[in-house]
Amino acid sequence: MDANMRTGQKNSVSEQFVPDLRSAHHISFMHAREVNADWIYPSHEHKQYEINYVLRGCQTMVIGGAPCRLDPGDFVLIRPADIHSSSSGSADGFVYFCLHFEIDDPPLLHLLDAFPRSAIAGTSSEGAAVRPILDKLVAYAVSDQPFDLAVKTGIQAAFYELLSKLCSALSGGAYPNEDGRPPHPETAHRIESLIHAATKQPIYHGHSHGERPLVGEIARKLGISESHCNRLFKKVYGVSPRQYLSIIIRDEAQRLLRDTSLSVDHISSLLGYRDIAHFSRQFKRWTSVSPRDYRSGLLPIQPSS
């Protein structure tokens, strides 16, 4: 069969590729609470991010030693390890909504860390974008409906919608860098996307173009220098683009050996290696075992249908 036909390339007009979307998150202590005028929450810190959103009355907070006032519709993002305290700023108390969360996504975490520590007014453009989603989460928190799978996934969907709006506020110009360029986590994310697209698309299409993406090529696509590309990426991901590429190839090699019945030679070709010997040497450097020994140590693989 024609290789272009087999991989879906023949007669294709155009194609757009979205890289892998992987993110681990944990939502905890989501609640709405009404308190009286004497209520206080003493200084404390925690490992989660916290969003504090006032629904009625006035709340006064001190975050990292700086006072912060929240009126109805205002919210604040508190980072892990930020020491903060809270008390009522209204004679008749107030009502607030609180969401604690953890997330494993380096560019997103770097972007969230750039968010202002002061309260975001509900009447501001950022507040107007975020409030409807916070209100969705509030509705789940105060609802009497059973906490079933539909509710669970609804909360998770609203949570990611919330993160999307917060990211838009930061990367869309609400809080730009002084030089007017996108925040470095956004650039690092684009570098990662280009690495994924160049390495995984050929694998999933069942063929390889035989060439790996070069950092210089990625940098040129983004209009930045190769050194700037390396520096930004390592600041967010903790490794260089080249090291990250190696991690992707290693993980794909292990996945293909574990989850498919493809021959080692075929896997080597898909991953862009020109010969199986080179692939085997590299795989042994990664895992201390050969590809065949790695596969033989796993459960039997069912033949592909």
Side-chain angles (χ1 to χ4, degrees):
M1 180 185 291
D2 184 331
N4 286 331
M5 178 71 79
R6 178 174 59 84
T7 60
Q9 298 297 309
K10 190 170 185 178
N11 299 320
S12 293
V13 177
S14 65
E15 181 177 25
Q16 292 175 289
F17 184 76
V18 176
D20 287 9
L21 300 174
R22 293 186 294 178
S23 183
H25 71 277
H26 177 207
I27 300 171
S28 60
F29 304 115
M30 188 177 94
H31 62 93
R33 174 184 280 168
E34 180 177 2
V35 300
N36 62 31
D38 297 324
W39 179 86
I40 62 169
Y41 205 117
S43 293
H44 64 289
E45 59 181 298
H46 39 67
K47 67 177 183 178
Q48 302 97 346
Y49 284 85
E50 175 184 341
I51 291 179
N52 196 100
Y53 174 48
V54 171
L55 304 173
R56 190 181 75 234
C58 171
Q59 181 179 15
T60 58
M61 302 188 78
V62 177
I63 305 171
C68 178
R69 173 188 172 96
L70 288 84
D71 291 310
D74 298 347
F75 69 92
V76 67
L77 175 69
I78 301 169
R79 295 162 183 74
D82 277 350
I83 298 175
H84 57 288
S85 61
S86 181
S87 61
S88 176
S90 303
D92 56 352
F94 68 98
V95 179
Y96 73 101
F97 168 79
C98 189
L99 169 68
H100 291 76
F101 66 90
E102 297 171 73
I103 190 159
D104 181 15
D105 191 314
L108 177 55
L109 293 177
H110 276 263
L111 205 56
L112 290 177
D113 285 343
F115 210 76
R117 281 178 167 78
S118 56
I120 305 300
T123 54
S124 67
S125 58
E126 303 82 50
V130 171
R131 282 186 63 187
I133 304 142
L134 286 173
D135 289 337
K136 281 186 188 179
L137 291 167
V138 171
Y140 280 116
V142 301
S143 173
D144 292 329
Q145 62 182 312
F147 187 75
D148 55 18
L149 284 175
V151 170
K152 176 183 176 181
T153 54
I155 291 172
Q156 291 173 324
F159 171 69
Y160 275 103
E161 189 178 1
L162 172 64
L163 292 179
S164 174
K165 293 298 182 183
L166 292 175
C167 288
S168 294
L170 284 165
S171 57
Y175 306 100
N177 287 338
E178 291 181 1
D179 57 10
R181 293 190 299 182
H184 68 265
E186 281 289 340
T187 303
H189 172 66
R190 292 185 65 192
I191 296 167
E192 185 210 22
S193 297
L194 289 170
I195 293 173
H196 271 280
T199 54
K200 288 201 169 186
Q201 188 179 25
I203 294 170
Y204 290 145
H205 278 185
H207 73 290
S208 174
H209 47 48
E211 295 181 359
R212 299 265 172 75
L214 299 176
V215 178
E217 295 172 359
I218 291 174
R220 282 192 294 274
K221 284 184 179 181
L222 297 177
I224 59 178
S225 69
E226 185 171 343
S227 60
H228 190 55
C229 177
N230 278 299
R231 186 167 57 252
L232 289 184
F233 192 88
K234 190 166 185 178
K235 186 173 183 180
V236 173
Y237 286 93
V239 295
S240 70
R242 188 176 299 279
Q243 289 171 316
Y244 190 80
L245 171 62
S246 180
I247 291 169
I248 291 175
I249 295 171
R250 179 203 66 194
D251 291 349
E252 282 300 309
Q254 291 177 312
R255 181 187 70 82
L256 291 169
L257 288 166
R258 182 180 63 245
D259 299 339
T260 77
S261 58
L262 298 174
S263 70
V264 175
D265 186 54
H266 191 176
I267 291 172
S268 169
S269 176
L270 288 178
L271 294 171
Y273 289 92
R274 298 193 182 281
D275 61 74
I276 190 172
H278 184 196
F279 169 62
S280 296
R281 286 194 300 271
Q282 181 59 58
F283 191 87
K284 194 164 186 178
R285 280 196 289 267
W286 285 328
T287 65
S288 299
V289 297
S290 70
R292 288 189 172 87
D293 288 343
Y294 177 85
R295 173 174 272 175
S296 66
L298 300 170
L299 294 174
I301 299 172
Q302 297 299 321
S304 301
S305 58

